[in-house]
Amino acid sequence: MSASIEPETADPLGETSSVTPIRAFLGLGSNVGDRLDHLRRAVGGLDDATTAVVAVSSVYETEPVGGVEQDAFHNIVVEVRTELSADALLRRCWELEQRARRVRLVRWGPRTLDVDVLLYGDHQIDTPDLTVPHPRMTERNFVMVPLLELDPSLQDHPLLAAYDPDLAIGEVRAIGALPAADGPAG
């Protein structure tokens, strides 16, 4: 697979992107309640007529970032093919967070679920609600390690060239695959 993610499409901010699905990557994290169950339900909530889950990274346990004392996170990256526009995909992420009863009290505080659009095709987007590529992803091992697990060629992507695992924030520890819905939760 090349470092390019996707050919350009007409309107990344409209309701749907085009007839051709866009390859996108989402970062998910949880550190409140049943972390694995929150992640599992979110992945299940992505898969529908407009969006197909292509791959899910291993689950990584990471220490929180941002200075707020809280429990460790479980993080994954999910690759999807979607007909949704980038804006509509972001709204889907927010819906998943709401279903998990996320409460936003403190920036970088504890959360049942956090879902970020990391990459949306090869598009660069900068709106008040959405910046793609995610503006801090190359500074965070808990994003880049699972992303590169899914597609190591993204290391060569020009927009991700700033990533240096020795300088990025957060130690990550792989804890295995995301269990299926009937598997054990943690």
Side-chain angles (χ1 to χ4, degrees):
M1 206 172 271
S2 72
S4 176
I5 299 170
E6 205 68 42
E8 292 295 315
T9 58
D11 182 11
L13 297 178
E15 190 58 36
T16 58
S17 62
S18 69
V19 176
T20 305
I22 295 288
R23 182 181 188 212
F25 290 89
L26 306 175
L28 288 74
S30 175
N31 77 334
V32 173
D34 187 338
R35 299 172 292 176
L36 291 176
D37 190 56
H38 291 306
L39 296 175
R40 185 174 33 244
R41 288 176 185 270
V43 171
L46 287 167
D47 218 1
D48 71 4
T50 62
T51 303
V53 173
V54 174
V56 179
S57 74
S58 299
V59 179
Y60 291 86
E61 185 168 82
T62 62
E63 292 304 313
V65 172
V68 176
E69 190 163 324
Q70 56 191 304
D71 292 334
F73 276 85
H74 282 174
N75 294 96
I76 60 173
V77 168
V78 178
E79 178 183 350
V80 298
R81 294 258 178 206
T82 186
E83 296 174 9
L84 295 175
S85 68
D87 188 57
L89 185 59
L90 176 64
R91 289 193 308 271
R92 168 79 60 79
C93 294
W94 289 344
E95 288 169 10
L96 295 171
E97 291 176 349
Q98 288 176 337
R99 282 189 220 157
R101 302 185 192 283
R102 176 174 178 178
V103 178
R104 296 175 189 263
L105 297 176
V106 178
R107 184 173 189 190
W108 294 321
R111 59 206 82 153
T112 55
L113 184 66
D114 183 41
V115 185
D116 293 321
V117 178
L118 304 175
L119 297 169
Y120 182 82
D122 278 334
H123 292 283
Q124 294 182 49
I125 301 166
D126 191 6
T127 69
D129 289 329
L130 181 62
T131 302
V132 174
H134 189 283
R136 291 171 299 283
M137 65 187 283
T138 59
E139 301 168 6
R140 297 174 171 173
N141 283 319
F142 63 86
V143 172
M144 294 301 295
V145 169
L147 176 67
L148 294 175
E149 173 192 325
L150 293 181
D151 186 349
S153 74
L154 289 173
Q155 178 73 47
D156 300 325
H157 191 286
L159 297 175
L160 305 181
Y163 176 60
D164 181 341
D166 295 326
L167 298 177
I169 298 170
E171 264 186 60
V172 296
R173 181 176 65 89
I175 61 172
L178 186 65
D182 59 345

